[in-house]
Amino acid sequence: FKKIFFSIISFALFFLMLEFFVRTVIPRFNYNAIFYEKNSNHKVFKGENTFLFENKISNKFLTRVKNKNDDVVFKKNKKKIIFIGDSVTLGFGVKFNDNYVELFKSKLNDQNYQVIGYSNTGINFIDVFDGISKDFIKNLNKGDTVIYQFNYNDITPLDDSKKMKSENTLYENLLKKIFSNFQKIKFKYLNYSSLIKFANYNFSLLPKKIKGNCHERKLDALGQYTFAYSAKGYEEQSKKIWLIFEKKINEIKTLLDKKNIKFYVLISPISLQLKKHEIVNKLKLDINCGLKDGHQQVVEVISKNKILNIDPLEAFKKSQYYSPKILFHEFDTNHPNKYGHEILANEVINKLSK
């Protein structure tokens, strides 16, 4: 019994020593990165409580609210400005008031308008297309505005996850399964430990090919941006997906034009497009593995179809010259932090004010 007792004490002391070492030497792992669901209307993203309202307009899209009992109802006597997008519009990892939708609302400060954000995690472009063409269009009128927040991972086949899985070896799939099971425990109980987060960070890299050339790394070379940037080996598939995107985005514009509803596309940047953001790119995604510039492609599609665009990329780039601040969450190439959301809000208000 004494041996067991001293072994437990020794292990605990060793763990605490390592915990202290990580917290002191690698402080970036100290912030709370919990991601889990308390219930369907209360989720925690990177430590931030996120309350969601299940609106009656679309069952796929939720509206973020400040408090858990808040609701959102369309006001018939006001013009609408609605944002529709994925977890960026949801404000993944930022406080309610730091979300670009809320920042825009406060900057607009016009009682004649009702501003509402519709979003969810895991939303793709087909969800956006269906939401606008089947659900939102019924509740919008002349003079309203729709702003679709484009994400580069919108350019992806719907069965992409299956394709990714089929290219992995048995060993890689086993590692992913172990990692997935570990996540369930970690997200709920262990995430307050910097040591656990440090270990998780390194374990998460094991199933990924972070070394080698573009051909050897396959989908791991550009990850979720493989098709937006027409990565080597996926040129034909990327071309088809871009054509489908162009067809669908034009259908949305035509549909909204018929009701005299303004339509904008907000192009949400990714950290790979910026300098000084290497720390964010933990999977070593290589934008040079793309044969075409994803940003240039989406701008061309939008311009060709005479769609209004809000393009914050240059504003993101310029901000780096005035501030050393990172504009994305650490280890996250896709989600802007509060500084990035501030730029998004400024670019939207500037565009709509013209």
Side-chain angles (χ1 to χ4, degrees), residues 338-350:
K338 65 178 183 179
Y339 304 111
H341 274 268
E342 178 73 28
I343 297 174
L344 290 177
N346 288 335
E347 290 300 298
V348 175
I349 197 73
N350 290 340

Side-chain angles (χ1 to χ4, degrees), residues 12 116 127-128 159 198 248 269-270 350 354:
I116 309 175
D127 294 327
V128 171
D159 61 345
F198 173 74
K248 295 289 185 183
I270 53 176
N350 290 340
K354 292 180 179 179

Side-chain angles (χ1 to χ4, degrees), residues 59 130 148 178 292 341:
N59 58 5
D130 289 342
Y148 153 52
I178 293 172
K292 292 185 178 180
H341 274 268

Side-chain angles (χ1 to χ4, degrees), residues 47-94:
E48 294 297 338
N49 284 308
T50 305
F51 300 106
L52 304 163
F53 174 69
E54 297 177 5
N55 62 83
K56 296 179 181 179
I57 297 175
S58 174
N59 58 5
K60 282 192 176 181
F61 291 89
L62 306 172
T63 298
R64 184 172 179 179
V65 291
K66 190 170 186 177
N67 303 299
K68 62 181 180 181
N69 294 322
D70 293 350
D71 60 8
V72 178
V73 179
F74 257 38
K75 298 176 181 177
K76 295 181 180 180
N77 61 332
K78 293 181 182 291
K79 290 183 179 180
K80 311 293 184 300
I81 298 177
I82 73 164
F83 293 84
I84 180 168
D86 60 11
S87 48
V88 174
T89 296
L90 186 68
F92 186 92
V94 299

Side-chain angles (χ1 to χ4, degrees), residues 154-340:
D154 283 345
I155 307 300
T156 184
L158 293 180
D159 61 345
D160 189 43
S161 60
K162 294 179 182 178
K163 292 179 182 294
M164 288 186 180
K165 186 175 180 180
S166 66
E167 291 187 356
N168 291 330
T169 64
L170 183 63
Y171 169 71
E172 289 169 335
N173 286 330
L174 178 61
L175 284 176
K176 284 188 175 183
K177 187 174 182 180
I178 293 172
F179 175 67
S180 177
N181 290 332
F182 172 71
Q183 294 289 69
K184 292 177 182 179
I185 300 172
K186 185 211 67 167
F187 284 151
K188 198 165 185 179
Y189 302 109
L190 305 178
N191 206 249
Y192 287 99
S193 164
S194 296
L195 176 60
I196 294 295
K197 283 179 278 189
F198 173 74
N200 173 68
Y201 167 74
N202 287 282
F203 282 131
S204 69
L205 300 180
L206 292 178
K208 301 289 184 180
K209 298 187 182 78
I210 59 175
K211 293 182 179 180
N213 59 39
C214 301
H215 176 72
E216 292 169 341
R217 295 181 66 192
K218 297 181 180 179
L219 284 164
D220 287 332
L222 259 172
Q224 58 188 319
Y225 315 120
T226 294
F227 304 99
Y229 276 81
S230 302
K232 296 176 183 177
Y234 301 92
E235 301 94 323
E236 287 302 314
Q237 196 172 1
S238 299
K239 184 178 179 181
K240 291 178 182 177
I241 297 168
W242 272 110
L243 288 172
I244 293 170
F245 174 79
E246 181 174 357
K247 178 177 179 291
K248 295 289 185 183
I249 200 85
N250 189 49
E251 287 180 21
I252 292 175
K253 180 183 184 298
T254 301
L255 191 64
L256 295 177
D257 280 349
K258 288 180 179 178
K259 294 190 71 172
N260 290 312
I261 298 168
K262 287 186 178 179
F263 180 46
Y264 291 84
V265 175
L266 169 61
I267 307 171
S268 181
I270 53 176
S271 72
L272 302 182
Q273 298 165 327
L274 307 175
K275 297 178 180 178
K276 302 180 182 178
H277 279 67
E278 290 77 13
I279 191 173
V280 175
N281 188 11
K282 72 171 184 177
L283 297 177
K284 309 298 181 187
L285 302 180
D286 187 356
I287 205 167
N288 294 314
C289 289
L291 298 176
K292 292 185 178 180
D293 184 338
H295 175 257
Q296 183 179 342
Q297 289 194 89
V298 69
V299 169
E300 287 177 356
V301 167
I302 293 169
S303 300
K304 179 182 174 182
N305 291 279
K306 299 180 180 179
I307 298 170
L308 300 169
N309 91 56
I310 305 169
D311 187 2
L313 182 56
E314 285 306 311
F316 269 67
K317 288 180 176 179
K318 287 178 181 177
S319 72
Q320 297 176 108
Y321 295 104
Y322 302 104
S323 170
K325 292 186 178 71
I326 297 295
L327 301 176
F328 289 78
H329 294 294
E330 288 197 16
F331 318 127
D332 189 337
T333 61
N334 197 34
H335 296 105
N337 58 23
K338 65 178 183 179
Y339 304 111

